[in-house]
């Protein structure tokens, strides 16, 4: 790879010495000289040296740099192959011609890897080269080619993929994903038929493919599949149904009432994405009992809490539901107080509800954690509403000296920066 004579320090056993030597070499030599050296050091055992080499090659960003890196996709160590692929993706378009020879190499793993990387590049002009490997002798390369055609939007290959669907059962999930990505109208009958395939993996792939089509008809098909699904399969189908519903053109039909228990059940799933999809679905079916059932799941994850807040925040009974859930133990006090503070901060409560929210925070102030107490005090000072004066007084008298000091400092700041009148 390298023909020039390199400084001895580049071979030093101490990675710090090697890194200093590499940094100096890369800074003081021409691109022609540094490219092979940097490509070589993508294999170094030290992560700092690998990163320095990678950033240098990315900064150069030429086809010459890409051609020096491309052989590493055949390296026998997976981390080196992965790093080479990441650098080629970041180089972008100049990496396409550098990778093409490896699409046809004798090494099946390298062929697959080259196609996988091309799928992440602006490589639409080489889709024919990739499609030639739909008949590759290696099954993993064939699947990589299908996935790459989908990623690159090679819609002209939809008829070819539909034909392959009949003869290559192992490829069916990948073909369905590609047809869904294409949103190919002529593929809809095939995808609809795949919903009833005996293989559940094919069924799920068909449901996901359908969710890519922004069509009202898709909702009907997914609802039919949901009714036939096992409890284990329901969350995935529901997730796809919500995706399709949100992608459908206006005007949207209302979500069927029969989805409510399925979506509430989906909130029990351990997968965060399923939980958030359930919340997104339930916001179209929102009533007081549903909100309270949803709020039972608050406090588990920040992302879920944000989704729950966005779902309920505009409902006029949102605060009442939060307060009731806290009083009945369906929601922790700290979490409920956090929701109440967020509703106040975002101006979601009317004038009549402000005293109720203040009373709620005061009633439970002693039980809140320090962070929530400070947030409540800050909000009370910002609102400058008489109902929150008692909350500030509680902060000044709190048993925790940190809370007392925080309240005193916040109160002094408020007096200096505004017309706050306690």
């Amino acid at each position: 790879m390298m023909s020039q004579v390199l400084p001895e320090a580049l071979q030093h056993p101490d990675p710090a010495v090697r890194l200093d030597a590499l940094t100096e070499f890369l800074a003081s030599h021409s691109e022609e000289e540094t490219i092979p050296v940097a490509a070589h050091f993508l294999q170094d055992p030290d992560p700092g040296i690998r990163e320095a080499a990678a950033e240098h090659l990315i900064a150069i960003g030429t086809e010459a740099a890409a051609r020096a890196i491309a052989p590493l996709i055949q390296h026998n160590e997976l981390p080196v192959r992965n790093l080479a692929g990441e650098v080629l993706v970041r180089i972008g378009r100049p990496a396409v011609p550098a990778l093409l020879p490896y699409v046809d190499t004798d090494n099946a793993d390298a062929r697959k890897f080259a196609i996988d990387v091309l799928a992440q590049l602006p490589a639409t002009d080489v889709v024919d080269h990739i499609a030639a490997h739909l008949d590759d002798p290696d099954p993993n390369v064939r699947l990589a080619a299908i996935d790459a055609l989908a990623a690159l939007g090679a819609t002209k290959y939809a008829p070819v993929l539909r034909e392959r669907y009949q003869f290559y059962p192992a490829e069916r999930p990948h073909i369905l994903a590609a047809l869904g990505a294409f949103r190919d109208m002529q593929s809809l009958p095939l995808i609809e038929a795949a919903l009833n395939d005996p293989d559940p993996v094919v069924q799920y792939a068909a449901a996901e493919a359908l969710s890519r089509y922004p069509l009202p008809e898709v909702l009907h098909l997914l609802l039919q599949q949901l009714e036939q699904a096992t409890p284990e399969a329901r969350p995935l189908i529901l997730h796809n149904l919500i995706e399709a519903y949100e992608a459908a053109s206006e005007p949207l039909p209302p979500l069927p009432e029969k989805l409510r228990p399925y979506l509430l059940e989906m909130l029990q799933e351990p997968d965060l994405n399923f939980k958030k999809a359930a919340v997104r679905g339930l916001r179209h079916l929102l009533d007081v009992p549903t909100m309270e059932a949803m709020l039972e799941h608050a406090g588990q994850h920040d992302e879920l809490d944000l989704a729950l807040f966005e779902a309920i925040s505009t409902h006029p009974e949102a605060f009442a539901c939060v307060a009731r859930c806290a009083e009945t133990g369906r929601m922790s006090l700290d979490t409920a107080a956090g929701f109440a503070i967020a509703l106040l901060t975002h101006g979601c409560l009317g004038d009549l509800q402000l005293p109720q929210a203040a009373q709620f925070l005061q009633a439970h102030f002693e039980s809140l954690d320090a962070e929530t107490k400070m947030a409540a005090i800050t909000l009370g000072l910002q609102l400058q509403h008489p109902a929150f004066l008692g909350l500030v007084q509680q902060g000044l008298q709190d048993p925790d000296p940190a809370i007392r000091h925080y309240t005193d400092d916040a109160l002094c700041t408020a007096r200096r920066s505004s017309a706050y009148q306690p």
Side-chain angles (χ1 to χ4, degrees), residues 59-120:
I60 293 174
T62 61
E63 185 177 331
R67 289 192 183 280
I69 300 162
L72 294 176
I73 70 170
Q74 302 180 102
H75 200 278
N76 57 8
E77 294 181 16
L78 181 60
V80 175
R81 294 202 300 273
N82 287 342
L83 178 59
E86 291 170 14
V87 175
L88 289 168
V89 169
R90 290 181 64 187
I91 285 175
R93 174 66 198 178
V96 173
L99 280 163
L100 277 184
Y102 296 92
V103 174
D104 303 315
T105 185
D106 291 338
N107 184 326
D109 288 340
R111 291 200 302 276
K112 178 186 182 305
F113 200 92
I115 292 172
D116 287 341
V117 176
L118 283 169
Q120 302 173 67

Side-chain angles (χ1 to χ4, degrees), residues 366-422:
E366 292 182 2
S367 302
L368 301 179
D369 62 29
E371 183 179 356
T372 308
K373 285 181 178 180
M374 292 177 185
I377 291 161
T378 301
L379 177 69
L381 290 169
Q382 289 173 345
L383 291 175
Q384 297 191 22
H385 191 285
F388 290 88
L389 293 179
L391 193 65
V392 176
Q393 290 300 319
Q394 282 180 294
L396 291 170
Q397 299 168 14
D398 194 87
D400 184 346
I403 301 297
R404 295 198 302 272
H405 293 153
Y406 176 85
T407 308
D408 188 55
D409 289 345
L411 184 57
C412 290
T413 301
R415 284 170 171 161
R416 285 196 301 269
S417 62
S418 72
Y420 179 80
Q421 297 295 325

Side-chain angles (χ1 to χ4, degrees), residues 134-135 142 160-168 171:
L134 290 172
D135 294 314
R142 297 197 294 269
V160 175
L161 295 179
R162 288 198 299 268
E163 185 177 354
R164 292 186 69 84
Y165 186 90
Q166 307 302 324
F167 302 105
Y168 299 94
E171 296 179 4

Side-chain angles (χ1 to χ4, degrees), residues 157-388:
Y157 284 98
V160 175
L161 295 179
R162 288 198 299 268
E163 185 177 354
R164 292 186 69 84
Y165 186 90
Q166 307 302 324
F167 302 105
Y168 299 94
E171 296 179 4
R172 287 176 180 172
H174 293 258
I175 291 172
L176 289 166
L179 296 175
F182 295 160
R183 295 183 178 182
D184 177 62
M185 299 302 294
Q186 294 182 355
S187 299
L188 271 175
L190 182 151
I191 298 172
E192 182 179 355
L195 289 171
N196 299 312
D197 194 280
D199 184 347
V201 176
V202 174
Q203 292 178 27
Y204 302 156
E208 188 165 358
L210 274 180
S211 73
R212 305 291 293 274
Y213 287 79
L215 300 169
E217 294 89 335
V218 165
L219 298 176
H220 177 69
L221 293 172
L222 289 173
L223 281 168
Q224 282 185 326
Q225 192 194 26
L226 182 65
E227 291 173 359
Q228 302 166 6
T230 63
E232 294 77 19
R234 239 181 249 138
L236 182 59
I237 298 168
L238 277 168
H239 183 275
N240 292 329
L241 191 150
I242 298 303
E243 293 279 325
Y245 187 79
E246 293 176 338
S249 303
E250 299 283 354
L252 290 174
L255 279 182
E257 174 63 31
K258 61 185 175 184
L259 287 183
R260 189 191 305 273
Y262 292 151
L263 290 166
L264 288 171
E265 181 182 51
M266 192 175 171
L267 280 172
Q268 307 284 349
E269 289 291 320
D271 189 297
L272 179 61
N273 288 323
F274 285 160
K275 289 178 182 289
K276 292 195 295 183
V279 171
R280 282 157 45 206
L282 287 167
R283 70 186 302 173
H284 299 287
L285 298 166
L286 215 55
D287 59 19
V288 168
T290 299
M291 276 196 293
E292 294 188 8
M294 292 164 65
L295 288 169
E296 289 184 18
H297 300 273
Q300 299 176 11
H301 194 283
D302 288 346
E303 286 186 35
L304 181 60
D305 283 352
L306 179 59
L308 288 166
F309 177 79
E310 290 175 348
I312 71 165
S313 59
T314 58
H315 196 284
E317 294 293 321
F319 171 70
C321 289
V322 168
R324 228 173 359 254
C325 284
E327 300 291 352
T328 57
R330 300 171 74 183
M331 195 176 185
S332 77
L333 286 175
D334 285 319
T335 302
F339 269 70
I341 291 167
L343 288 168
L344 288 161
T345 301
H346 288 83
C348 301
L349 304 187
D351 291 341
L352 295 177
Q353 291 178 304
L354 287 177
Q356 298 171 10
Q359 185 179 3
F360 172 79
L361 292 171
Q362 286 180 230
H364 300 290
F365 189 82
E366 292 182 2
S367 302
L368 301 179
D369 62 29
E371 183 179 356
T372 308
K373 285 181 178 180
M374 292 177 185
I377 291 161
T378 301
L379 177 69
L381 290 169
Q382 289 173 345
L383 291 175
Q384 297 191 22
H385 191 285
F388 290 88

